[in-house]
Amino acid sequence: MKKMNKLALLALALTVGVGVQAKVMESSVATVNGRPVLSSEYDSYLSGVVEQYKVAAPQILQQPYAQDVLGREVLKELISKELLYQAADEAKIQVKDSDIDAGINEIKARFMVDEKTGKEDPKGADKRFSEALKKQHMSLKTYKEKIKKDIAVRKLVEQRITTTVKPVEEADVKALYSDVETCLKGNTKKMKALEQKDPARFKEAMAIAAKLKQLTAEQVRIGHIYLAVTKDMKPEEVKAKEETAKKIKKELDGGKEFSTAVKEYTEDKAALASGGDMILIKGIAPKALDQQAFSLPVGEVSAPIKTDVGFHIIKIKEKRAEKQIGYDDIKRDLAQYLAQQKIQTTLAAYIGELYDKADVKITKTFESDKLLEEAAKADEAAKKESSKESKK
């Protein structure tokens, strides 16, 4: 997998969350110094990673044995997490009850919004938090133990890694900015030279440049009412959606509040918490939607807009012109990025040292294992055959 994917997985492993089951099961996928890495934890963790890819990069899941590739990475990260847990225990890292309570409160804060209504509901946060634990087959006591472990690992990383990494030199920040600027300006000659000299650095600079283009591009904040249309819908069903969109537009023209119409009609339930508000970056949305969003004046409500995924009615709330950025604008962000890269590199080396000293046994098998074994055998047979031919 790409380096950033691995780092993201490790970050997930060290983040306090409710995505890991604590229900004890006999089966395990590995043991680390005799301690099991439970199958239930592996399955839950992998499920969460797959869900993230479904949203962020569904094409990855279409590749052959994608589940195995992700599964191997998840297993590595779970083993790394257990190694760090044990190292924190050996270092006698202390975790106070107040630390655990703060961790629990941090998680509870994520349940302030009622997903059904999209509204803030602080009084119901405890109930929703408890329901989430039940779904994960986890008691509050068990969850607190998990929080305690996670905090211990955080403290270990701070002591052994974060505080020992040397500060980033400004020369390094300027060098990275120069590479990013080359990609931003599309200087083909310099980009080709950078790619040939350091492919990894080139990909890194390209990724940062792409992100900066998004952040600095012309943007518009809109209110959004969405009526979904799917490929399996019958013509009469699509027509009914169109008529509904026209009806909504007529009601808005008659004085109905846009926010009220959003709550009543939109099929984008995830947007309810923001009242249907969203930010569009020029050139990213479907063409018909993009053209309307960036041509209508602030305050205007569009007629129904047809795209491949449905009908949209938008209200232009705010516009922002394209921004120009220079070194001084992003030097701090680049410095933080480089510092984080240093920490991750040092952390990976530290985990490697722990792994070398540990007794790690992997019992999990993957569907592609047999294929790899067969390929290895075929390769070995080909080498022997080649050796025989050369001796003749």
Side-chain angles (χ1 to χ4, degrees), residues 75-343:
L75 183 55
K76 287 179 184 178
E77 301 308 337
L78 288 177
I79 290 172
S80 296
K81 184 176 71 169
E82 181 59 36
L83 286 167
L84 289 168
Y85 282 164
Q86 293 183 23
D89 189 42
E90 186 178 342
K92 301 187 185 304
I93 299 292
Q94 297 296 313
V95 178
K96 299 177 182 178
D97 289 342
S98 58
D99 294 330
I100 298 173
D101 291 339
I104 294 290
N105 290 333
E106 180 184 336
I107 296 302
K108 284 185 177 180
R110 302 178 189 178
F111 293 88
M112 289 296 181
V113 176
D114 186 338
E115 291 184 356
K116 294 180 181 179
T117 64
K119 297 180 180 179
E120 284 197 8
D121 176 29
K123 292 182 179 179
D126 285 344
K127 182 181 178 181
R128 288 188 289 274
F129 172 69
S130 297
E131 289 174 349
L133 290 184
K134 286 181 182 179
K135 287 180 181 179
Q136 300 299 326
H137 307 288
M138 185 181 291
S139 68
L140 181 59
K141 181 180 178 180
T142 304
Y143 186 60
K144 283 186 175 181
E145 284 298 316
K146 180 194 177 308
I147 293 287
K148 184 178 180 179
K149 281 186 172 183
D150 288 337
I151 293 173
V153 167
R154 286 184 182 180
K155 291 188 174 185
L156 174 74
V157 172
E158 287 173 2
Q159 290 180 13
R160 299 288 176 87
I161 308 298
T162 307
T163 58
T164 63
V165 174
K166 293 181 180 180
V168 174
E169 300 287 341
E170 186 168 11
D172 295 329
V173 180
K174 287 183 176 180
L176 177 58
Y177 174 76
S178 177
D179 293 339
V180 171
E181 187 179 36
T182 293
C183 297
L184 281 171
K185 292 182 176 180
N187 190 318
T188 307
K189 186 177 180 180
K190 287 186 177 181
M191 288 171 65
K192 188 174 182 180
L194 176 60
E195 185 176 18
Q196 291 177 341
K197 180 182 178 181
D198 191 340
R201 178 59 171 250
F202 173 71
K203 288 182 179 180
E204 182 179 53
M206 284 289 287
I208 295 173
K211 186 65 177 178
L212 286 174
K213 283 181 180 178
Q214 283 192 353
L215 293 174
T216 59
E218 184 179 350
Q219 296 181 8
V220 60
R221 182 168 68 88
I222 64 169
H224 183 220
I225 298 173
Y226 170 60
L227 303 177
V229 170
T230 58
K231 293 181 179 179
D232 59 347
M233 278 187 174
K234 297 177 181 178
E236 56 267 29
E237 292 175 313
V238 176
K239 184 65 177 176
K241 292 273 186 176
E242 183 177 12
E243 292 304 317
T244 300
K246 290 178 180 179
K247 172 191 171 187
I248 296 170
K249 170 61 174 171
K250 188 175 181 180
E251 290 177 0
L252 291 169
D253 290 342
K256 190 169 192 172
E257 287 290 331
F258 196 90
S259 58
T260 301
V262 169
K263 293 175 183 178
E264 186 175 344
Y265 291 111
T266 191
E267 295 176 8
D268 180 10
K269 300 303 180 185
L272 283 175
S274 64
D277 277 19
M278 62 187 297
I279 300 294
L280 294 184
I281 298 170
K282 192 168 186 179
I284 301 297
K287 188 175 180 180
L289 184 59
D290 189 79
Q291 287 178 340
Q292 289 291 304
F294 289 92
S295 61
L296 290 173
V298 173
E300 189 81 12
V301 174
S302 74
I305 304 166
K306 176 71 167 67
T307 69
D308 290 340
V309 295
F311 292 92
H312 314 257
I313 298 174
I314 63 175
K315 180 176 181 178
I316 311 303
K317 295 192 172 184
E318 184 182 359
K319 289 191 173 185
R320 195 195 77 181
E322 182 179 0
K323 288 184 177 180
Q324 299 298 321
I325 60 169
Y327 174 71
D328 289 337
D329 298 312
I330 61 171
K331 63 181 181 181
R332 180 178 295 180
D333 293 323
L334 292 179
Q336 290 177 346
Y337 171 78
L338 289 174
Q340 189 61 32
Q341 291 292 84
K342 279 191 171 187
I343 290 171

Side-chain angles (χ1 to χ4, degrees), residues 346-362:
T346 306
L347 178 59
Y350 177 60
I351 293 173
E353 291 173 6
L354 294 176
Y355 196 105
D356 290 340
K357 296 175 184 177
D359 177 20
V360 179
K361 293 183 174 67
I362 296 175

